Amino acid sequence: MDVTIHIPDDIASQMTGDLSRFALEALVAQQYRLGHLNQPDLQRLLGLETSYQIDGFLKAHNIWIEYTMDDLESELAGFQRLGL
């Protein structure tokens, strides 16, 4: 799908950077916040190659991954099984 937005020339001339990319990132970030997209969707839509890039995108858009005590306990148990 292609999406077109109209920005008046006098305002557009004040803006810098890749406006198409900025618009895409804003849309994707909001849809992720709403739970309509997952991390593989982000990777595909934004052309990201690594989980570090996904984490960087989320951090740049003030989106924090929910990390619970259950998550921590599960990771600790995994480390213990590995002898770490």
Side-chain angles (χ1 to χ4, degrees):
M1 171 189 295
D2 291 324
V3 176
T4 303
I5 60 172
H6 176 74
I7 302 172
D9 289 337
D10 61 317
I11 296 173
S13 68
Q14 299 173 45
M15 299 173 150
T16 60
D18 184 349
L19 299 182
S20 294
R21 181 66 181 197
F22 292 152
L24 174 63
E25 288 186 8
L27 175 65
V28 168
Q30 183 62 20
Q31 291 299 303
Y32 182 84
R33 276 188 195 94
L34 294 172
H36 298 189
L37 298 174
N38 57 32
Q39 289 191 16
D41 295 331
L42 296 182
Q43 189 169 7
R44 183 174 168 204
L45 287 166
L46 300 173
L48 304 175
E49 296 180 7
T50 68
S51 61
Y52 292 110
Q53 289 175 312
I54 294 170
D55 290 344
F57 170 81
L58 294 173
K59 183 178 179 183
H61 289 86
N62 294 316
I63 300 171
W64 308 105
I65 298 170
E66 187 175 320
Y67 191 79
T68 66
M69 285 300 292
D70 289 338
D71 295 328
L72 176 61
E73 290 169 0
S74 176
E75 287 190 14
L76 289 174
F79 289 140
Q80 290 173 345
R81 282 192 302 275
L82 294 172
L84 301 175

